[in-house]
Amino acid sequence: MKLTWKHFKRVFLGQKREHVATSKDNYFSKENSDGMFTLQYPKESFPVPDNGRYRLHNEIEDCIVCDKCAKICPVDCIDIVPVRSPTEIRKASDGSSVKMYASTFDIDMAKCCYCGLCTTVCPTECLTMTKTYDYSEFDVRDMVYEFSDLTPEEAKEKQVLFDDYQAKKKAAAATKATKPAGAKPAMPAIKKPMIKPAKPKTDEDS
Ligand code: SF4
Ligand code: SF4
């Protein structure tokens, strides 16, 4: 009760406690925090460390749609549907060539266990864990974050373009395979040396 009244008095007099980062060694010491008490969230909140692992973000412009993050995820909460492009789409900010679109790039943060493995394997470092930790939802379906920059119509269009390209490529390969084998270059005719029949020997020759 004494402690409660003490803090009540401090709040009443507008004597807010000094903000000390959790990374400081003396964060929990009495001198600085003047005793631990419940933070008045969201007006007061713990500072977020720089290396904190909270909500994921994908900078889709830099994503090469390699699928490594989805493969390593232990809880299978990353869903990627790639659409290939016949040509290079753009360069990522680290110079990597982007040759695939992501018609779907969804991360279900309700399933995520915040292990951070997906960010460590990402070759372009476009997938990062942000400092956003307060994102509860009433509907669990709202915890699925969509990062694709294509509309369903655009994705369909890109898929048709790639299918056309593949069909043309296959047709060209088939035409090449069915062509009759080229005639062998004619060998130059070898002239046979004329062998004159030997003259029958006569008595004069001996
Ligand atoms: S942090 Fe871990 S669980 Fe969450 S999406 Fe990445 S790999 Fe999956
Ligand atoms: S690992 Fe990185 S580059 Fe590869 S698909 Fe995932 S986010 Fe994109």
Side-chain angles (χ1 to χ4, degrees):
M1 201 62 193
K2 189 181 161 194
L3 192 65
T4 306
W5 277 110
K6 186 180 157 194
H7 289 300
F8 178 76
K9 199 173 124 197
R10 281 169 59 88
V11 171
F12 190 71
L13 295 174
Q15 296 169 343
K16 287 193 173 177
R17 75 171 188 168
E18 190 193 339
H19 200 81
V20 182
T22 45
S23 54
K24 301 278 182 205
D25 290 340
N26 58 355
Y27 180 75
F28 292 106
S29 70
K30 280 201 166 190
E31 294 77 49
N32 284 290
S33 62
D34 199 15
M36 285 183 279
F37 55 89
T38 308
L39 289 178
Q40 303 203 357
Y41 188 82
K43 287 181 185 161
E44 273 186 310
S45 60
F46 282 112
V48 178
D50 287 337
N51 56 355
R53 296 204 297 244
Y54 302 101
R55 193 169 78 195
L56 283 159
H57 172 73
N58 187 16
E59 198 62 47
I60 198 72
E61 286 287 305
D62 288 340
C63 176
I64 58 171
V65 199
C66 66
D67 208 35
K68 284 186 179 178
C69 52
K71 282 196 180 99
I72 204 161
C73 178
V75 293
D76 204 16
C77 68
I78 304 180
D79 183 21
I80 303 174
V81 179
V83 177
R84 295 174 71 185
S85 164
T87 52
E88 182 180 83
I89 302 161
R90 59 180 174 267
K91 289 263 187 228
S93 59
D94 71 339
S96 305
S97 179
V98 181
K99 293 176 185 163
M100 278 196 266
Y101 301 96
S103 65
T104 302
F105 196 117
D106 295 351
I107 305 180
D108 189 346
M109 292 308 298
K111 286 188 195 167
C112 178
C113 64
Y114 303 88
C115 64
L117 285 173
C118 53
T119 59
T120 58
V121 294
C122 180
T124 61
E125 295 182 2
C126 63
L127 193 60
T128 50
M129 301 202 94
T130 64
K131 288 186 174 185
T132 308
Y133 61 87
D134 185 358
Y135 54 98
S136 55
E137 299 284 355
F138 285 106
D139 188 337
V140 75
R141 287 169 293 190
D142 293 336
M143 292 295 278
V144 178
Y145 287 81
E146 299 172 358
F147 295 100
S148 171
D149 54 354
L150 293 185
T151 61
E153 293 75 31
E154 284 171 334
K156 207 171 169 186
E157 191 183 301
K158 305 286 182 203
Q159 187 62 60
V160 169
L161 273 177
F162 186 72
D163 290 346
D164 276 358
Y165 167 76
Q166 283 290 80
K168 279 180 190 156
K169 207 172 147 189
K170 269 188 192 164
T175 315
K176 205 174 166 189
T178 51
K179 258 188 186 175
K184 284 181 183 173
M187 294 287 286
I190 300 169
K191 276 187 181 176
K192 283 185 181 174
M194 290 290 287
I195 302 167
K196 285 181 185 173
K199 275 183 186 176
K201 281 191 176 180
T202 58
D203 294 342
E204 287 170 10
D205 296 333
S206 51

